[in-house]
Amino acid sequence: MASLETASPALEVLRRVFGYDTFRGEQGAIVEHVAGGGDALVLMPTGGGKSLCYQIPSLVRPGVGIVISPLIALMQDQVDALNALGVRAGFLNSSQDFEERRLTEAMYQAGELDLLYLAPERLRVPATLDLLDRGRIALFAIDEAHCVAQWGHDFRPDYLGLSELHERWPKVPRIALTATATKATHAEIASRLNLDDARHFVASFDRPNIQYRIVPKAEPKKQLLDLLRTEHKGDAGIVYCLSRSSVEKTAEFLVANGIDAVPYHAGLDSRTRAENQARFLREDGLIVVATIAFGMGIDKPDVRFVAHLDLPKSVEGYYQETGRAGRDGLPSTAWLAYGLQDVVQQRKLIEQSEGDDAHRRRQSQHLDAMLALCETVECRRVQLLAYFGQESTACGNCDTCLTPPESWDGTIAAQKLLSAIYRLQRERRQKFGAGQVIDILLGRKTAKVIQHDHDTLTVFGIGEELSESGWRGVVRQLLAQGLLAVEGDYGTLVLTDASASVLRKERTVLLRREKVTKASAKPAKKAAVDMPEEAAPVFERLRAWRAATAKEQGVPAYVIFHDATLREIATSSPQTLEELGRVSGVGENKLAKYGQQVLDTLNA
Ligand code: ADP
Ligand code: ZN
């Protein structure tokens, strides 16, 4: 903090308006650069603190900061949060009626705004461009900048038009921000937005407060319930499922078990969807069970866990979804249950997907990278960060670091499995799914085994040393290692080119040992947030006050104060307004507005 001690205007705004002492990471450098009129391309993980990077320069520079964001549904909350800080903000999007729009436009022209949020499609309308000309523009912030990348997963055609901003207003600085960027996306953003002269700020993609855990899937709903009960009682969180029906069933299951949960997927009518999202943002401790349709730009800072009941399609998707946990920097959990069926299902989806072979190959590569992450015996974080081109060392806060998996020599098991498949294929010209192959290995005389005369195969009963779930683990791991493949609607197992080297005993196969029997292997250190015992009831009182206040004002609870701020208040128990003002997250405006109420709540 010493180097910034000169109290630049930016630092002064950070302290007075936002109530924070110091900039985080590269924030300070970014803010100074943009405030000084420079262009910037900012790659920072979710929760890294991107908003301040354009909000503070907008406040420091003369004129209005124009923020382009595709997240129309969130604009109201963003503006409410800024207003609560005493910042003059407005938005223009299709959700408004004429009168609301006119009012905002008038404020813009009169220079009565610090920030104006716009949906990208607004800029296609000449009237909007003319309007912007009638006011003074402090800067353009292009949020979710990866939406300009045509090969990315969130492409929005309207973003392509944003390259014109520079032509029309060459002197206005631009800052593009995103939390998702592999090297290719990064380069595409820079070129499509004509940000050639921009300074690039690439923050570490690490989210140290998120604990990554990937467990073998046995009874996923029960495993989830166990996780919620033991580690995340009363916490807000997101549960991702692949299909609408599993979303519905999982939400019902949680509710039936006394846990507050609502569903969210594209099949629900838009009112229910909006209502469930609003409840999630506004209430404390609600769980949303959702397909991936939910979450883009969910700004809620206190999401304590993200759970995946199905395998995500790519590491990028997984990282973005899990990134919604713990934006406030407090300990959070990313938990994924994954099983053989996931691999079969995903391969099937890829086979059936529209598009050409190149497209399918790309999807396959994405899946392979995801499987490699699931099956790794090394630190999950090291592997995740490596995927984004960042080197790191074992983190100590993921399941493989906390309870290192044992590996075992699975060469013989692999040979047995592959030769069973080989025999079926060669001797019988048959292909079967994992279930039948495992029954054969275990020597089970099921109706289907007898019907196909499989008990006469030489491989019948040669695999009794492993249990059924043990074999499923072997199948899954061979699939992940490319030593086996699945095809067709029924997920039949087939050999790959690489299988031959195992069958010819030319290579050894290392597998990770897993304990499938227990619902959830408990990590050595749980991710839940700890607080001194005496502070807990105070924190709850403050939460109750916050809930009531938020309800009264019709804003999300975090707009009043973040959990992290309430926690610090509960532990430090300030006695005067001045002491309260020193707590991180208590700025001038909030101190004036809520300070006395907070002190009263503390002393109640
Ligand atoms: P992003 O947009 O990158 O996901 P946000 O801008 O929403 O991240 O910031 C994440 C959280 O970190 C917010 O709760 C924000 O108030 C907090 N935050 C950002 N910068 C700072 C800072 N310098 N000091 C303390 N808290 C900060
Ligand atoms: Zn680790």
Side-chain angles (χ1 to χ4, degrees):
M1 155 162 146
S3 64
L4 294 165
E5 243 345 320
T6 38
S8 65
L11 189 60
E12 198 273 325
V13 169
L14 177 76
R15 291 180 176 162
R16 179 174 50 82
V17 178
F18 294 89
Y20 297 139
D21 271 345
T22 47
F23 283 116
R24 260 193 205 158
E26 296 217 77
Q27 263 179 348
I30 298 166
V31 165
E32 298 293 348
H33 180 70
V34 177
D39 289 345
L41 173 49
V42 174
L43 273 56
M44 210 186 256
T46 311
K50 282 186 288 302
S51 335
L52 291 188
C53 296
Y54 58 82
Q55 288 168 347
I56 293 184
S58 300
L59 291 169
V60 172
R61 289 176 64 83
V64 186
I66 308 292
V67 186
I68 320 290
S69 163
L71 310 171
I72 294 176
L74 292 176
M75 286 184 183
Q76 183 70 57
D77 286 348
Q78 285 170 323
V79 164
D80 285 346
L82 285 165
N83 289 339
L85 294 165
V87 175
R88 304 169 304 170
F91 64 83
L92 290 175
N93 69 33
S94 52
S95 75
Q96 290 163 306
D97 62 28
F98 176 76
E99 189 50 31
E100 286 170 321
R101 228 171 14 231
R102 206 193 50 81
L103 204 72
T104 307
E105 290 178 3
M107 284 174 77
Y108 169 76
Q109 284 188 56
E112 288 165 6
L113 289 178
D114 301 308
L115 281 144
L116 176 63
Y117 285 77
L118 287 181
E121 57 271 19
R122 287 271 120 202
L123 291 172
R124 293 239 152 154
V125 186
T128 311
L129 300 176
D130 293 342
L131 168 78
L132 292 185
D133 264 335
R134 289 198 294 275
R136 181 155 184 194
I137 307 170
L139 58 84
F140 287 108
I142 301 163
D143 207 2
E144 311 292 345
H146 60 279
C147 291
V148 80
Q150 252 158 335
W151 294 112
H153 53 300
D154 276 330
F155 174 61
R156 315 253 169 155
D158 283 320
Y159 261 63
L160 291 176
L162 298 181
S163 61
E164 287 161 26
L165 295 178
H166 184 53
E167 283 147 40
R168 188 157 174 148
W169 293 282
K171 293 218 173 70
V172 177
R174 293 170 302 151
I175 170 172
L177 313 102
T178 178
T180 33
T182 52
K183 281 212 169 68
T185 318
H186 181 177
E188 200 180 345
I189 295 172
S191 79
R192 291 209 187 273
L193 293 177
N194 291 327
L195 281 168
D196 314 314
D197 298 329
R199 208 167 129 190
H200 292 211
F201 296 88
V202 183
S204 163
F205 264 65
D206 190 15
R207 301 286 311 280
N209 60 313
I210 299 183
Q211 183 175 94
Y212 297 98
R213 278 149 60 184
I214 302 180
V215 304
K217 195 191 273 192
E219 293 174 280
K221 291 207 282 285
K222 278 212 190 107
Q223 288 171 285
L224 173 69
L225 186 62
D226 197 35
L227 173 81
L228 301 186
R229 285 189 172 154
T230 54
E231 296 177 49
H232 288 290
K233 238 188 197 124
D235 285 344
I238 307 174
V239 178
Y240 284 111
C241 301
L242 203 58
S243 73
R244 294 172 188 184
S245 82
S246 59
V247 163
E248 295 282 351
K249 282 190 204 122
T250 307
E252 279 164 25
F253 172 82
L254 291 180
V255 170
N257 282 282
I259 289 177
D260 219 359
V262 292
Y264 187 103
H265 58 71
L268 294 169
D269 63 85
S270 58
R271 226 201 56 212
T272 312
R273 255 192 350 246
E275 203 174 281
N276 290 352
Q277 171 165 332
R279 276 193 60 196
F280 180 67
L281 291 173
R282 277 168 173 65
E283 292 175 21
D284 283 329
L286 185 70
I287 292 172
V288 168
V289 185
T291 56
I292 52 168
F294 180 76
M296 165 95 162
I298 286 295
D299 257 338
K300 191 175 167 68
D302 55 354
V303 176
R304 289 274 70 84
F305 68 89
V306 169
H308 283 90
L309 291 191
D310 295 301
L311 188 69
K313 291 186 173 64
S314 69
V315 176
E316 261 175 301
Y318 170 75
Y319 205 60
Q320 195 178 41
E321 283 142 31
T322 54
R324 291 174 187 139
R327 274 175 186 252
D328 54 10
L330 298 177
S332 310
T333 310
W335 183 89
L336 159 65
Y338 136 84
L340 176 56
Q341 198 48 39
D342 286 303
V343 189
V344 174
Q345 189 176 20
Q346 294 276 2
R347 290 263 183 246
K348 193 165 107 188
L349 286 175
I350 293 174
E351 260 177 51
Q352 295 170 345
S353 76
E354 288 168 23
D356 53 12
D357 282 349
H359 178 67
R360 271 192 284 275
R361 248 196 323 277
R362 281 172 60 97
Q363 285 186 308
S364 257
Q365 285 162 1
H366 281 309
L367 178 59
D368 289 343
M370 191 63 220
L371 292 177
L373 175 68
C374 291
E375 301 292 1
T376 186
V377 287
E378 267 138 49
C379 172
R380 307 265 190 215
R381 193 179 313 267
V382 165
Q383 186 140 345
L384 272 170
L385 293 176
Y387 188 78
F388 295 104
Q390 194 181 324
E391 269 178 45
S392 61
T393 52
C395 74
N397 190 28
C398 72
D399 54 357
T400 52
C401 280
L402 291 168
T403 37
E406 292 166 34
S407 55
W408 60 291
D409 184 343
T411 312
I412 304 228
Q415 286 165 358
K416 287 180 177 175
L417 180 83
L418 296 179
S419 59
I421 296 164
Y422 179 82
R423 301 260 164 225
L424 281 172
Q425 210 168 318
R426 276 299 142 91
E427 292 173 13
R428 307 285 173 93
R429 310 235 160 266
Q430 291 171 335
K431 288 178 183 173
F432 279 91
Q436 182 76 354
V437 177
I438 291 172
D439 281 345
I440 294 169
L441 289 168
L442 290 174
R444 288 177 173 161
K445 295 198 176 183
T446 64
K448 199 166 161 190
V449 163
I450 292 167
Q451 179 200 341
H452 292 282
D453 212 14
H454 285 166
D455 50 345
T456 61
L457 287 164
T458 51
V459 292
F460 185 74
I462 60 165
E464 284 167 354
E465 71 276 21
L466 289 180
S467 65
E468 168 159 359
S469 69
W471 278 114
R472 294 187 84 83
V474 174
V475 174
R476 216 187 58 229
Q477 295 188 61
L478 293 187
L479 283 169
Q481 294 187 24
L483 295 172
L484 187 62
V486 287
E487 61 174 33
D489 270 1
Y490 302 103
T492 54
L493 298 176
V494 293
L495 301 181
T496 66
D497 293 341
S499 309
S501 60
V502 179
L503 283 169
R504 283 200 302 266
K505 307 191 165 74
E506 285 165 7
R507 65 181 278 178
T508 50
V509 180
L510 266 193
L511 300 176
R512 68 186 274 166
R513 195 179 298 284
E514 47 198 36
K515 313 157 198 92
V516 199
T517 39
K518 258 178 85 189
S520 82
K522 254 203 222 112
K525 192 175 79 186
K526 72 180 197 125
V529 188
D530 290 318
M531 219 181 338
E533 214 178 306
E534 62 282 6
V538 184
F539 176 65
E540 289 311 324
R541 271 213 309 281
L542 288 167
R543 282 227 299 187
W545 164 79
R546 180 181 65 177
T549 312
K551 194 159 186 198
E552 200 178 282
Q553 299 181 9
V555 296
Y558 64 79
V559 165
I560 312 282
F561 282 121
H562 286 182
D563 271 9
T565 303
L566 290 194
R567 255 166 222 288
E568 199 182 320
I569 296 174
T571 37
S572 69
S573 53
Q575 290 306 310
T576 63
L577 286 174
E578 200 203 333
E579 282 171 20
L580 179 60
R582 284 201 286 270
V583 172
S584 178
V586 184
E588 189 179 65
N589 206 58
K590 288 189 180 174
L591 184 66
K593 205 157 157 192
Y594 305 123
Q596 196 51 51
Q597 293 179 43
V598 168
L599 293 181
D600 292 347
T601 309
L602 279 176
N603 296 318

